[in-house]
């Protein structure tokens, strides 16, 4: 959390202080909760640590969203609001707190790579009778498929698809509202009925090397994929011409 938000936090469990206040590239950060109250970042995550008693317990679940660079122009307020609204949806649906950190692109990487890290508490957030926050039962996202089935809820895999769809729908609404023609699709190429293959994420290290003219494994893989897709498209064009003839 300290690294994502570029803040200084003390871990009360270990006594260590994590100081990332000099970290560049954090465009926006905030804590969003289903309680609609202001929550201190350090208090939240120290509470998350105290709420678990197993050595292998998960204290947070991370979701990374890529924000269209068209929405991050100017003061970047539109893209930040998109991340805020999506985090609010997740918070209210699963009754959890969400730690939001919007990051600008790495200087060495793709300058369109605006993205946000959403850290969700694994337990539901509530208030006691004194108004203090507390983390209670594990959220839906942490339940096993057996537990989900017994509760009449979607499986983990189907729930993930719903989250991806919600992000795509909200993002496309924002793009449309701002007169931007581009759209995103949460579905895989297979589900969309496409024969073409998707390229893989480069990452800033590979992007920097490729810019310097140094070939990378991931760059070679994407070149192979693009060549395959171009060949596939050419075959379809030839096949259609044969049919017309």
């Amino acid at each position: 959390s300290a690294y994502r938000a570029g803040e200084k936090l003390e871990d009360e469990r270990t006594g260590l202080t994590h100081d990332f206040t000099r970290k560049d590239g954090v465009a926006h950060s905030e804590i969003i909760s289903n309680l609609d109250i202001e929550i201190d970042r350090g208090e939240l995550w120290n509470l998350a640590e105290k709420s678990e008693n197993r050595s292998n317990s998960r204290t947070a679940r991370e979701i990374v969203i890529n924000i269209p660079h068209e929405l991050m122009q100017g003061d970047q307020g539109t893209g930040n609001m998109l991340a805020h609204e999506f985090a609010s949806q997740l918070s209210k649906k699963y009754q959890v707190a969400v730690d939001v950190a919007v990051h600008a692109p790495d200087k060495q990487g793709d300058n369109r790579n605006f993205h946000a890290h959403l850290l969700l508490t694994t337990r539901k957030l509530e208030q006691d009778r004194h108004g203090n926050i507390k983390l209670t039962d594990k959220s839906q996202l942490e339940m096993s498929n057996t537990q989900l089935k017994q509760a009449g809820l979607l499986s983990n895999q189907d729930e993930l698809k719903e989250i991806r769809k919600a992000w795509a729908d909200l993002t496309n609404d924002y793009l449309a509202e701002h007169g931007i023609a581009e759209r995103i699709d949460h579905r895989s190429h297979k589900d969309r009925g496409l024969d073409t293959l998707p390229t893989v994420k480069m990452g800033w290290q590979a992007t920097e090397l490729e810019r310097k003219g140094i070939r990378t494994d991931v760059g070679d893989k994407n070149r192979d994929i693009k060549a395959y897709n171009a060949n596939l498209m050419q075959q379809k064009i030839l096949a259609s011409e044969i049919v017309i003839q």
Side-chain angles (χ1 to χ4, degrees):
S1 174
Y3 179 77
R4 294 286 185 249
E7 284 199 3
K8 179 180 179 180
L9 298 179
E10 181 182 349
D11 185 344
E12 296 173 359
R13 181 176 62 85
T14 63
L16 297 175
T17 297
H18 304 279
D19 188 352
F20 291 97
T21 51
R22 294 184 179 181
K23 173 179 170 58
D24 293 327
V26 180
H28 174 74
S29 68
E30 61 178 319
I31 300 288
I32 296 173
S33 81
N34 53 304
L35 303 176
D36 291 324
I37 61 174
E38 186 174 341
I39 296 176
D40 178 77
R41 180 172 276 110
E43 179 185 1
L44 175 66
W45 293 116
N46 276 304
L47 178 60
E49 290 283 354
K50 294 174 183 176
S51 300
E52 308 297 340
N53 52 28
R54 294 175 56 183
S55 61
N56 63 344
S57 293
R58 176 184 287 122
T59 53
R61 180 174 292 275
E62 184 174 42
I63 294 176
V64 181
I65 51 178
N66 290 310
I67 303 175
H69 66 93
E70 296 91 342
L71 298 176
M72 294 297 288
Q73 305 305 313
D75 63 359
Q76 303 179 351
T78 303
N80 293 339
M81 182 54 65
L82 171 60
H84 170 93
E85 187 170 343
F86 183 61
S88 297
Q89 288 183 6
L90 295 175
S91 175
K92 287 181 168 53
K93 180 175 183 179
Y94 302 113
Q95 300 295 292
V96 298
V98 184
D99 191 345
V100 182
V102 179
H103 286 186
D106 290 300
K107 294 179 180 178
Q108 303 95 332
D110 190 331
N111 58 13
R112 300 167 299 175
N113 184 29
F114 290 95
H115 58 281
H117 297 268
L118 311 181
L119 292 176
L120 285 66
T121 57
T122 58
R123 293 183 179 274
K124 296 180 181 179
L125 184 71
E126 299 178 9
Q127 280 181 296
D128 62 22
R129 59 191 180 91
H130 301 294
N132 299 315
I133 62 171
K134 61 179 182 178
L135 292 170
T136 57
D137 298 331
K138 286 290 187 178
S139 75
Q140 176 185 339
L141 294 176
E142 308 307 316
M143 297 168 64
S144 67
N145 280 331
T146 300
Q147 293 172 320
L148 292 169
K149 185 176 181 180
Q150 291 174 345
L153 299 171
L154 293 175
S155 67
N156 287 314
Q157 295 82 355
D158 289 336
E159 188 65 27
L160 177 58
K161 290 180 181 179
E162 288 298 307
I163 292 175
R164 290 170 61 86
K165 183 179 185 302
W167 168 246
D169 290 344
L170 182 62
T171 302
N172 288 335
D173 287 343
Y174 267 69
L175 290 169
E177 288 172 7
H178 290 81
I180 300 169
E182 298 294 335
R183 296 293 182 271
I184 67 172
D185 197 318
H186 69 285
R187 298 172 298 169
S188 66
H189 280 217
K190 181 180 179 181
D191 290 341
R192 293 165 63 188
L194 300 177
D195 297 327
T196 53
L197 299 175
T199 54
V200 297
K201 184 177 178 63
M202 289 282 289
W204 70 265
Q205 295 97 332
T207 300
E208 183 181 14
L209 290 173
E210 291 282 343
R211 282 179 174 174
K212 294 178 179 178
I214 303 172
R215 295 175 71 98
T216 62
D217 290 342
V218 67
D220 287 339
K221 184 172 184 179
N222 277 339
R223 279 183 280 273
D224 289 342
I225 291 172
K226 291 176 181 178
Y228 170 85
N229 290 340
N231 184 54
L232 187 65
M233 186 62 64
Q234 186 62 32
Q235 290 179 7
K236 288 186 176 182
I237 293 173
L238 291 174
S240 64
E241 289 177 348
I242 292 172
V243 171
I244 292 173
Q245 291 173 1

